[in-house]
Amino acid sequence: EARKIPEHFAYYRPSMSQERAEKITLENDLYTAIQDNQLVLHYQPQLELKTNEMISMEALVRWKHPEKGWITPLDFIPIAEESGLIVPIGKWVLETACRQTKELQELIGQPVRVAVNLSIRQLFHENFVQVVRDILKETELPPEYLQLEITESMTMDTSYMMPILNQLKETGVTIAMDDFGKGYSSLSYLKDLPIDCLKIDREFVRNIEQTNSEPIVDLIISMSKHLNLKVVAEGVETMEQLEYLLNSECDTIQGYLISKPIPFCNIAKNLKRLREE
Ligand code: C2E
Ligand code: CA
Ligand code: CA
Ligand code: CA
């Protein structure tokens, strides 16, 4: 015989928003995503302007959901962060990025660096530094070919962050500050953070027009030079933006103009093609 649904369930269900229900479903599905091989890394090449060389790339995670199809990180990383699943997912991303980059280096016979995005919860999880050390050892990727991307908001609590960043630096990896300009970095401690690179948020790159100057971009680049940091411009989509950046002291660009993020199986031939262009 059919069981009667208790009244309070019947009461709560209609009031549960669609969005909330969807989130819970995604969270449940995300638990098995790693073991079911549903997570995939795509790689977006970065072009070094001075040498015109493609020597680095950013790893970006995607989720191939069995029913819903491709899901963007913007839709599942927040869920992963909230639920704590970001810890195993982040570890999988690091491991996969290091392993595939090592493989790519051997395939093309040239060094390539990979940049991997970190979440605050992952970074503050116990043993994160050891996890990085273990992965580097196990994948045999030399540490200088791994760049870890953090964001400004992650460095708000400097007393907590400094020792971790310093320990990471001791492993030999480099650290980039992602989405720079969007957050609220205090300039006084920016110079004390053990970072190597600033990535200009694409919001500012978008503002570049052919004739106009773009003061925020100029400011970030000149600040980077004073602090002895490399600078990457993100989200470069047009020739106008490229020309503007070529006339600045920007070191590296990344964006659809050069390439969209692409699957690992295509990155080797794309890097070769892009390097030959
Ligand atoms: P992000 O780190 O700022 O990554 C750059 C985003 O800009 C990527 O979106 C990339 O596909 C997109 N992009 C690149 N070039 C262009 C361009 O020319 N124009 C435009 N409009 N967009 C461009 P994606 O892959 O959807 O990733 C979104 C965000 O998700 C990332 O932003 C990052 O914050 C997060 N994310 C991605 N992968 C990971 C990961 O493995 N771990 C963590 N914690 N976060 C990740
Ligand atoms: Ca990034
Ligand atoms: Ca970014
Ligand atoms: Ca972003």
Side-chain angles (χ1 to χ4, degrees), residues 44 58 61-62 73 93 117 119 178-179 202 235 237 255-256 261:
Q44 186 174 36
E58 178 174 2
V61 68
R62 274 97 182 82
V93 168
N117 293 283
S119 289
D178 200 4
D179 302 342
R202 66 166 182 271
E237 294 181 353
Y256 295 166

Side-chain angles (χ1 to χ4, degrees), residues 170-190:
E170 278 165 26
T171 69
V173 305
T174 57
I175 298 170
M177 175 84 86
D178 200 4
D179 302 342
F180 189 73
K182 260 171 71 177
Y184 309 93
S185 290
S186 148
L187 294 184
S188 61
Y189 77 66
L190 184 62

Side-chain angles (χ1 to χ4, degrees), residues 69-87:
W70 291 102
I71 301 181
T72 133
L74 296 173
D75 286 338
F76 71 89
I77 292 291
I79 295 173
E81 283 172 342
E82 231 174 87
S83 60
L85 281 169
I86 194 65
V87 174

Side-chain angles (χ1 to χ4, degrees), residues 261-273:
I262 45 183
F264 179 69
C265 56
N266 293 340
I267 189 86
K269 67 169 183 281
N270 268 271
L271 274 188
K272 271 194 179 147
R273 180 181 59 77

Side-chain angles (χ1 to χ4, degrees), residues 9-214:
F9 279 159
Y11 175 77
Y12 274 111
R13 260 190 200 158
S15 71
M16 202 198 318
S17 75
Q18 189 79 37
E19 204 181 314
R20 175 106 190 95
E22 172 77 1
K23 235 177 104 177
I24 292 170
T25 313
L26 276 188
E27 185 183 323
N28 284 333
D29 295 348
L30 200 50
Y31 272 94
T32 51
I34 299 180
Q35 68 202 57
D36 291 352
N37 286 317
Q38 292 166 10
L39 297 182
V40 178
L41 292 186
H42 284 191
Y43 294 92
Q44 186 174 36
Q46 300 176 327
L47 178 75
E48 197 181 65
L49 292 178
K50 216 173 273 162
T51 56
N52 205 26
E53 278 182 326
M54 211 68 66
I55 49 172
S56 51
M57 59 193 186
E58 178 174 2
L60 295 155
V61 68
R62 274 97 182 82
W63 178 12
K64 193 167 189 201
H65 191 283
E67 289 116 40
K68 296 180 173 39
W70 291 102
I71 301 181
T72 133
L74 296 173
D75 286 338
F76 71 89
I77 292 291
I79 295 173
E81 283 172 342
E82 231 174 87
S83 60
L85 281 169
I86 194 65
V87 174
I89 290 175
K91 188 177 172 194
W92 178 88
V93 168
L94 257 175
E95 237 164 27
T96 308
C98 290
R99 183 169 35 77
Q100 293 187 325
T101 302
K102 175 75 183 173
E103 197 181 321
L104 181 65
Q105 292 190 353
E106 282 168 1
L107 211 68
I108 63 175
Q110 271 172 311
V112 183
R113 193 185 63 201
V114 70
V116 174
N117 293 283
L118 299 182
S119 289
I120 188 151
R121 200 148 165 196
Q122 185 188 2
L123 201 66
F124 281 2
H125 195 258
E126 51 174 349
N127 292 334
F128 178 70
V129 179
Q130 193 55 45
V131 166
V132 172
R133 278 196 206 105
D134 291 345
I135 289 174
L136 288 169
K137 200 170 162 197
E138 166 197 310
T139 60
E140 294 175 18
L141 181 74
E144 64 264 38
Y145 298 119
L146 175 62
Q147 182 159 75
L148 299 175
E149 294 195 1
I150 59 170
T151 55
E152 280 174 275
S153 59
M154 290 161 91
T155 58
M156 296 292 264
D157 186 356
T158 37
S159 59
Y160 210 93
M161 199 63 166
M162 277 296 207
I164 299 175
L165 293 182
N166 282 322
Q167 287 170 46
L168 285 172
K169 285 288 295 180
E170 278 165 26
T171 69
V173 305
T174 57
I175 298 170
M177 175 84 86
D178 200 4
D179 302 342
F180 189 73
K182 260 171 71 177
Y184 309 93
S185 290
S186 148
L187 294 184
S188 61
Y189 77 66
L190 184 62
K191 78 171 185 346
D192 297 325
L193 284 173
I195 55 173
D196 304 275
C197 172
L198 290 183
K199 293 187 80 174
I200 307 175
D201 192 77
R202 66 166 182 271
E203 197 177 310
F204 304 115
V205 174
R206 195 168 40 216
N207 292 336
I208 298 176
E209 277 154 41
Q210 201 164 18
T211 47
N212 283 5
S213 71
E214 180 38 51

